[in-house]
Amino acid sequence: LGTYYEDGLQRKKCWKDMNGRKYILSLNNGLAALSSIIVCNIQASLNLALAVGDKVSVSYFQDLLNKGFRYISLDGKNRTITLHRFIENEFSITGTFTNIEGIEEQVENQFFKDLSKDLKQHFLKATKIEVREVVGLKSQIFGSFLAIHEGMPLNYIEILNASMSPIAPWVRNVASKYEHNEMLFVCDKDKISRMYDREWVAQTAMILMRKYRPTLSGQRFPIDPNLTTRELSNWYSLGEGYQIGRAHV
């Protein structure tokens, strides 16, 4: 459906097969319909940005449209990926499932391709997933991501990852280069799935820089040797709202 997964608006893929199996079972019994997948409508958001003259948002949304995307995922990445993985036979399921005829079937460690025709039809035609669309400027949809997860266990580095500061994408880009190789010597896979590799990159950069300039007056602040979450948050806030285009002036 042309959905874009903006790095700054996503947790990493952190569901394991066990989580996927539970989600597929909840889909079959209707409980998964109680939680919505939330996406941003790119065309409608572009229209809003044009109407209010927000050049940063216009550039952002137009670029995504040009690349063929129609939506930006705000919540539901793991659920969406799990659905694709299930249909593509990447993990099996076990349990009691209801088919398209309303008849219960016992399934034991079967992939989607091995399910009965009636059970496949239930997943493909009778499964209900609520998808909610939102519209907003770029700054608003980044704010929406934090609001959506206000009551959910986002850790502080996942929150900083959604910062509008250019520091956030810089940290993401550096961490992603080493995520599957060198970074495994620093963080295990579970910690990487919760973005602690990005915390390490940010902290390393802060130590190497020794000092940084958080104000236009040029006032310099020494890095706290303990690298507290407060100091890291202050560092991420540098340049918040800064338009990348200004760098070319």
Side-chain angles (χ1 to χ4, degrees):
L1 295 176
T3 301
Y4 177 64
Y5 295 101
E6 165 64 61
D7 236 356
L9 301 175
Q10 302 296 322
R11 287 186 171 109
K12 290 189 177 182
K13 174 183 169 291
C14 57
W15 278 16
K16 298 180 180 180
D17 288 351
M18 175 184 66
N19 305 111
R21 293 185 182 99
K22 290 180 179 179
Y23 179 62
I24 296 302
L25 181 59
S26 67
L27 270 179
N28 186 256
N29 61 32
L31 292 178
L34 299 176
S35 62
S36 303
I37 289 176
I38 305 176
V39 297
C40 170
N41 185 306
I42 296 176
Q43 182 63 67
S45 295
L46 174 61
N47 294 342
L48 172 63
L50 288 168
V52 301
D54 187 321
K55 294 182 180 179
V56 172
S57 295
V58 169
S59 175
Y60 178 69
F61 292 126
Q62 188 62 67
D63 180 60
L64 292 178
L65 282 177
N66 292 343
K67 292 177 179 177
F69 294 109
R70 297 172 55 196
Y71 303 100
I72 301 169
S73 172
L74 297 182
D75 185 40
K77 176 181 180 179
N78 277 291
R79 283 168 283 168
T80 304
I81 290 176
T82 294
L83 288 172
H84 285 288
R85 293 186 64 236
F86 174 56
I87 298 300
E88 293 169 3
N89 304 300
E90 293 187 21
F91 67 90
S92 61
I93 57 174
T94 296
T96 303
F97 295 84
T98 303
N99 65 29
I100 194 72
E101 301 294 335
I103 300 173
E104 290 188 347
E105 296 187 21
Q106 294 296 322
V107 176
E108 183 67 32
N109 196 32
Q110 291 186 336
F111 293 95
F112 180 77
K113 64 182 178 62
D114 302 317
L115 301 178
S116 70
K117 179 180 178 180
D118 286 343
L119 188 50
K120 287 181 183 177
Q121 288 299 303
H122 185 280
F123 280 117
L124 295 174
K125 295 184 177 181
T127 300
K128 295 181 180 180
I129 302 174
E130 181 182 4
V131 178
R132 293 172 52 196
E133 292 187 16
V134 300
V135 176
L137 303 176
K138 183 180 180 182
S139 60
Q140 292 172 329
I141 65 171
F142 273 72
S144 294
F145 171 75
L146 296 178
I148 289 167
H149 294 280
E150 185 69 32
M152 301 178 72
L154 276 178
N155 63 43
Y156 84 98
I157 196 66
E158 289 171 330
I159 293 173
L160 292 178
N161 184 59
S163 167
M164 289 292 289
S165 167
I167 289 175
W170 179 83
V171 170
R172 288 197 294 270
N173 290 339
V174 172
S176 65
K177 290 180 181 178
Y178 306 103
E179 179 178 337
H180 302 293
N181 297 297
E182 291 89 344
M183 195 61 71
L184 293 173
F185 291 101
V186 179
C187 302
D188 61 34
K189 290 183 179 180
D190 287 338
K191 286 190 173 182
I192 289 176
S193 74
R194 296 305 304 274
M195 299 190 184
Y196 285 105
D197 56 329
R198 299 180 185 184
E199 175 193 51
W200 185 87
V201 168
Q203 290 177 335
T204 300
M206 291 172 70
I207 291 173
L208 292 174
M209 291 170 63
R210 300 290 183 181
K211 297 180 179 180
Y212 62 95
R213 297 176 183 271
T215 65
L216 293 176
S217 66
Q219 184 179 7
R220 299 174 73 88
F221 290 81
I223 297 298
D224 187 318
N226 295 319
L227 293 176
T228 64
T229 56
R230 179 180 178 182
E231 288 299 321
L232 194 59
S233 180
N234 288 340
W235 190 60
Y236 263 78
S237 69
L238 297 177
E240 201 159 87
Y242 179 80
Q243 295 183 23
I244 299 299
R246 293 177 187 169
H248 302 294
V249 176

